[in-house]
Amino acid sequence: MKQKKFESMAVVNPFAAGIDVGSKSHFVAVGQDPKKDVKEFGVYSQDHEMMINHLKSHGIITVAMESTGSYWQSLFFALQNAGFEVLLVSGHQTKNVRAKTDVKDCIWIQKLHSLGLLRGCFLPDKESAKLRTLQRHRSSLIEESAKMVNKIQKAMRMMNLRLDVVISDITGKTGTAIIRAIIDGERDGQALSLLTDPRIKKSREEVARALQGNWDEELLYEMTDCYQIYTFLQERMKSCEQRLENLLVEYTQEIHLENDLVLSSKQLKGKNQPKFNLPVLSYKFYGVDLFAIESISSSTVLTLICEIGQGIYNFNSAKHFASFLRLAPNNRVSGGKVVSSRTPKGSNKLALALRNAANTIDKTKDGVLTRFFKRVAYRKGRGAAITATARKLAVIIWNMIIKGERYQPGNLDQYQKEMKDRMIASIKKKMLSLNMSADELNAALS
């Protein structure tokens, strides 16, 4: 028997190169010959220039590279500025089932790219990249500040100074005043209790009893050190917020608001919420009032602007946007049946912000989103409700921005009627599956 001839795949990108990005060197493949078409380059700026000249000498037009940690970023922008079409791909697309070496990896990436089998990752524009850098730095400052607060609490707790019992926030007005007094040398609980704000619910006597402790010099040193670091981090965070505000003002300075425009009057509380006028700036940035959505805070909107920016217009539908955030079920079908529908794992910053917003939605007043959250939580648990509500928030945000629509939460009575109709339809379906007659149903209800 003659063997069947299989058609080879057509080359889509004939002038393509593949790069295996590493921490100390990069391997570049311009073809499939390991000896002739693969070359190793260093990671310095001079090495980048040599790589660019090497690619141009071989007539390369487009380059694909794997997103390895943060090592790809400087090389990516260097190649982009040199005029190449650069494709950044995730690791699961370039996974090679054969033995893994740097040479084989870059050859495999070049082959996949030349055949048009790779899809590029989402990358923000230059303006959004600047905002993203500042926002992520701000988030890291918040995390470090929280660590210092925990260490302050631990040091005080080990001295049996239970300030955390009598006030809810030891870095608030009262807590800060008491900690500063302790650092300055005050040891009398009665004198420290006089620093409490009138809004504190606990009596001054109870505060004084909570501040009678075992004074330890080493623990006092640790507490003082951590408090100084905390105050320094807070100053850096204010400076970072100022730079963020300046960039947002610069990007939206040509947009003027209508005189009769009325934005949402939501109370934007929270110690870590940005202190500048984000509702106005976000309206200028997107043209819609995102703060009208339940449970959406300043941190959520700021994360959206900095992580996605104007790149939200690159998503063709709300489903694509939710899928990118990994908030949509990853349905796996085999034999015509859905065998798995788990949501893909991921660490998208915006998805995390939307999950945090969804987690607080049941604390808001009764509404369609709150009812939706509670209905899903009753059926599938709170975790599933958070994911489902976060996905719904993503769809609402996409529709508002892309279609220029105002947020309309919907009629609660209409929502309850739809739920009732669904329940009736489900009962009818179960009756049909049991072949129940009208007489049997009446007998069951009596």
Side-chain angles (χ1 to χ4, degrees), residues 1-52:
M1 292 180 62
K2 292 183 179 181
Q3 292 184 350
K4 294 183 179 180
K5 293 183 178 180
F6 294 93
E7 294 183 1
S8 59
M9 295 184 66
V11 175
V12 179
N13 301 312
F15 304 103
I19 303 178
D20 181 65
V21 179
S23 60
K24 297 181 179 179
S25 64
H26 307 314
F27 286 81
V28 180
V30 295
Q32 292 296 297
D33 191 332
K35 296 181 179 180
K36 296 181 180 179
D37 298 331
V38 178
K39 191 172 182 180
E40 182 181 6
F41 294 90
V43 295
Y44 305 134
S45 298
Q46 185 178 3
D47 299 315
H48 291 174
E49 292 297 327
M50 293 172 61
M51 184 190 299
I52 290 169

Side-chain angles (χ1 to χ4, degrees), residues 404-417:
E405 299 175 346
R406 297 181 61 183
Y407 176 62
Q408 298 180 357
N411 188 286
L412 186 58
D413 295 333
Q414 180 65 25
Y415 177 79
Q416 291 176 334
K417 183 179 181 302

Side-chain angles (χ1 to χ4, degrees), residues 56-199:
K56 287 182 177 180
S57 66
H58 285 80
I60 298 299
I61 298 175
T62 178
V63 180
M65 65 172 64
E66 188 179 344
S67 56
T68 306
S70 59
Y71 302 120
W72 60 270
Q73 296 187 19
S74 58
L75 177 61
F76 179 91
F77 293 115
L79 292 172
Q80 206 172 49
N81 293 333
F84 293 101
E85 179 188 341
V86 191
L87 203 67
L88 183 71
V89 296
S90 59
H92 74 272
Q93 291 190 59
T94 59
K95 189 174 182 180
N96 194 348
V97 295
R98 299 176 297 175
K100 179 178 174 58
T101 64
D102 295 331
V103 174
K104 289 182 178 179
D105 283 348
C106 67
I107 290 176
W108 181 246
I109 294 172
Q110 193 275 336
K111 185 174 185 178
L112 293 175
H113 188 33
S114 63
L115 297 175
L117 298 176
L118 298 178
R119 291 179 291 114
C121 300
F122 170 82
L123 290 172
D125 51 72
K126 292 183 179 180
E127 290 77 12
S128 299
K130 294 179 181 180
L131 293 171
R132 174 189 279 193
T133 300
L134 291 175
Q135 166 63 4
R136 292 188 176 183
H137 176 58
R138 178 180 177 273
S139 299
S140 66
L141 292 175
I142 292 174
E143 293 174 2
E144 294 301 321
S145 297
K147 291 179 182 179
M148 291 302 107
V149 173
N150 290 335
K151 288 176 70 69
I152 293 170
Q153 282 184 328
K154 186 202 74 171
M156 297 185 74
R157 189 164 54 247
M158 292 180 69
M159 291 186 291
N160 205 29
L161 301 174
R162 301 313 306 270
L163 185 62
D164 57 328
V165 175
V166 291
I167 62 175
S168 58
D169 183 11
I170 68 167
T171 57
K173 183 178 180 180
T174 297
T176 301
I178 292 175
I179 291 173
R180 284 177 177 173
I182 293 174
I183 291 173
D184 292 338
E186 183 62 63
R187 300 292 182 266
D188 183 25
Q190 293 293 338
L192 292 172
S193 66
L194 296 177
L195 299 173
T196 56
D197 191 88
R199 294 172 295 176

